[in-house]
Amino acid sequence: MSSIYQLPTILFMLAMGYISLETGELVMADPAIQEILNSNETYDAVILEWVSTDYLQSIAYRLRAPAISATIFCPSVYTNYVSGNPSIYSHMLHFLSGYGQNMNLR
């Protein structure tokens, strides 16, 4: 079985970029999202998936509400940088590293 993680890094990044653009177009074209954006309702917060959808932060900006970003994706340089988490690769793999689960410090 093939996995997206087995792609060369540049192809993986291109695929993620494409997925990001397609997701954005679908989200912003959704009638429910358009109704929310054009309403005068107020919101306490906007919860967003973070991976490859940073631009959706604009929804929170438009609604004048704080954005809460969450992800089901594994920790990476990108998610750690944005969230202020440390990147400790001695026990947490970077998902594009190509190394398996059985790591040691030798």
Side-chain angles (χ1 to χ4, degrees):
M1 176 182 260
S2 180
S3 169
I4 193 167
Y5 300 111
Q6 294 171 335
L7 290 174
T9 302
I10 189 68
L11 291 178
F12 178 82
M13 298 309 285
L14 288 171
M16 291 302 289
Y18 175 78
I19 291 167
S20 174
L21 292 173
E22 290 295 311
T23 301
E25 288 181 16
L26 289 170
V27 168
M28 296 310 284
D30 187 283
I33 295 294
Q34 288 301 311
E35 184 178 330
I36 289 168
L37 292 174
N38 293 318
S39 75
N40 290 326
E41 291 189 51
T42 59
Y43 296 86
D44 295 328
V46 177
I47 301 173
L48 303 163
E49 166 62 49
W50 181 83
V51 174
S52 297
T53 56
D54 314 6
Y55 55 85
L56 291 180
Q57 300 285 331
S58 63
I59 293 173
Y61 180 81
R62 169 68 178 81
L63 298 174
R64 294 186 179 105
I68 299 170
S69 295
T71 184
I72 61 167
F73 211 55
C74 56
S76 71
V77 171
Y78 320 109
T79 56
N80 287 341
Y81 176 77
V82 170
S83 63
N85 291 333
S87 294
I88 306 170
Y89 296 117
S90 61
H91 65 278
M92 289 176 57
L93 287 177
H94 184 279
F95 70 98
L96 293 177
S97 69
Y99 296 109
Q101 294 288 334
N102 299 323
M103 293 176 52
N104 61 44
L105 297 174
R106 288 190 242 172

